[in-house]
Amino acid sequence: MYNFEFTKPKTVEEAATAMAAEGAQALGGGQTLIPTMKQRLASPEVLVSMTDIEGMVGVAAHGNTLTIGGATTHAQVAADAADLFPGLAALASGIGDPAVRNRGTIGGSLANNDPAACYPAGALGSGATVTTNKRDITADDYFQGMFETALDEDEIITSVSFPIPEKANYQKFEQPASRFALVGVFAAKFNDGVRVAVTGASNVGVHRWTEAETALNSNFSESAIDGMSGNANDMIADLHGSAKYRAHLVGVLTRRAVAGCG
Amino acid sequence: MPTITMNVNGAPVSVEVENRTVLSSALREGLGMTGTHIGCDTSQCGACVVHVNGKAVKSCTIFALEADGADVETIEGQAHADGSLNVLQQAFQDHHGLQCGFCTPGMIMSAAALLKENPKPTEAEIRDYLEGNICRCTGYQGIVDAIMAASGQSTAIAAE
């Protein structure tokens, strides 16, 4: 990979200053960015490490909201959110493999917004709020297509706040080689409605499946969405699965997620 | 070039690195500790797994600068001081947990991390934990047997 300047700020303010430099890029756990840089698909001039910034690591519940620091690893979320928001902890415990989960961070995953990543489904399916050094962004506004988000180039995800649902479940059908989601579905039931978010499947990236939400709002059961599938016109088609297959999986996994809510 | 300091297997070391140097290269080329293997160099095969501050990580996918000041454990630190194999290493030998041995440093370090978290894992838990470690020789059964044996549990295929 090409060399770069490296900086490891201690505060969000210092990080924001460093991110203002030309060609600066935030470095979370680097589990996507480092392989990407090795392939020279990315060549940032300055890397700003997020791993040692005060107040950006941790999991805390305040009332019915779970707040996760932007530099918190998947392994820590899996452990520390297990009692507070088990559906989200289970999602975190299935990302990558144990070594990847010990480095990869929620802020890194959401900032990258890989169309097959797990966290975007958890955030959108929960109606989370992404907090940056500049503002709060609701998940509905945050995700804007494959690898596209509402973040400005120099913006840093400092934390993510999740409303804790009555119940939630994430189901992932893994692409067997990469173990990324061929299709993943996060379903969450709140007292004021159901949210269903789909990752991996679509050309538009993570998105809500509103038809299923409507059906589940009146009857939160597998039978309410019996026979339904996603819209094949929007789905990714590649050697791992046709658009029709992915659309079918969206239906199957949503039913499994609803069943998994118990 | 920046110099980092680490405690590697309990011994303080300093090594000069470039900003872009990953930990696996710092260990192998900077410190001459070639026990940590680089298989895929893309974070998939797990041959390079070491522990950084007690956590298993893929050393090909962490910059050496991020390990500055860290406690690092590698395969070289696993055997006893007299050179005899530790329980896990001995179990790998006894249960045919390796053939060519290329993946073994990563397998041992991942398995050690597993047993620290979960001293009596089930076979399913072992297979799940080793998801990020790839072996092309053994078909994994010997590796799973070795970890079962090292954790004091009976194995599906008894050692001869």
Side-chain angles (χ1 to χ4, degrees), chain A:
Chain A
M1 75 182 82
Y2 294 110
N3 212 356
F4 48 83
E5 297 291 313
F6 181 86
T7 175
K8 197 166 184 173
K10 295 282 188 192
T11 66
V12 173
E13 290 70 30
E14 286 174 23
T17 303
M19 287 289 286
E22 181 74 23
Q25 161 81 50
L27 171 68
Q31 300 303 285
T32 296
L33 183 58
I34 295 173
T36 307
M37 288 172 65
K38 286 180 182 177
Q39 293 177 295
R40 295 183 175 177
L41 294 171
S43 50
E45 291 166 49
V46 182
L47 279 188
V48 183
S49 170
M50 299 287 135
T51 52
D52 202 22
I53 295 177
E54 197 184 332
M56 264 181 56
V57 174
V59 176
H62 301 285
N64 221 21
T65 302
L66 184 78
T67 301
I68 301 174
T72 310
T73 63
H74 310 326
Q76 187 173 352
V77 173
D80 292 356
D83 295 331
L84 301 165
F85 188 165
L88 189 70
L91 175 150
S93 74
I95 297 172
D97 59 53
V100 167
R101 293 194 286 274
N102 280 335
R103 289 294 301 168
T105 66
I106 186 169
S109 174
L110 293 178
N112 190 45
N113 191 20
D114 188 298
C118 298
Y119 260 130
L124 186 62
S126 303
T129 298
V130 176
T131 299
T132 75
N133 56 320
K134 297 180 178 178
R135 56 188 167 145
D136 291 334
I137 312 169
T138 63
D140 286 314
D141 293 331
Y142 178 84
F143 297 105
Q144 301 190 344
M146 289 189 179
F147 299 108
E148 295 289 334
T149 71
L151 291 177
D152 295 336
E153 279 194 6
D154 62 346
E155 205 165 359
I156 298 161
I157 297 176
T158 54
S159 66
V160 188
S161 296
F162 292 80
I164 301 174
E166 290 172 3
K167 34 193 170 180
N169 187 263
Y170 179 63
Q171 293 288 324
K172 170 166 64 165
F173 192 95
E174 291 179 350
Q175 200 267 70
S178 75
R179 308 286 171 92
F180 270 87
L182 192 66
V183 176
V185 174
F186 191 89
K189 183 180 184 304
F190 294 88
N191 59 12
D192 60 349
V194 174
R195 292 177 69 103
V196 175
V198 177
T199 188
S202 171
N203 285 312
V204 299
V206 67
H207 64 281
R208 288 170 68 182
W209 188 18
T210 50
E211 291 87 348
E213 289 178 357
T214 305
L216 290 166
N217 268 328
S218 47
N219 173 16
F220 191 75
S221 72
E222 284 177 87
S223 60
I225 50 172
D226 193 29
M228 286 175 67
S229 58
N231 183 350
N233 292 332
D234 294 335
M235 297 292 155
I236 297 167
D238 59 23
L239 78 168
H240 306 298
S242 65
K244 199 176 163 194
Y245 180 60
R246 280 188 167 83
H248 173 71
L249 279 181
V250 168
V252 171
L253 294 178
T254 304
R255 286 187 284 281
R256 286 183 189 171
V258 170
C261 283

Side-chain angles (χ1 to χ4, degrees), chain A residues 3-4 6, chain B residues 1-6 13-31 62-68:
Chain A
N3 212 356
F4 48 83
F6 181 86
Chain B
M1 289 202 298
T3 300
I4 62 166
T5 60
M6 303 181 285
V13 296
S14 295
V15 58
E16 238 181 34
V17 296
E18 288 188 272
N19 289 354
R20 63 181 168 180
T21 304
V22 290
L23 180 57
S24 52
S25 300
L27 290 169
R28 289 177 58 84
E29 293 157 30
L31 295 170
I62 171 175
F63 290 117
L65 286 171
E66 294 278 49
D68 191 12

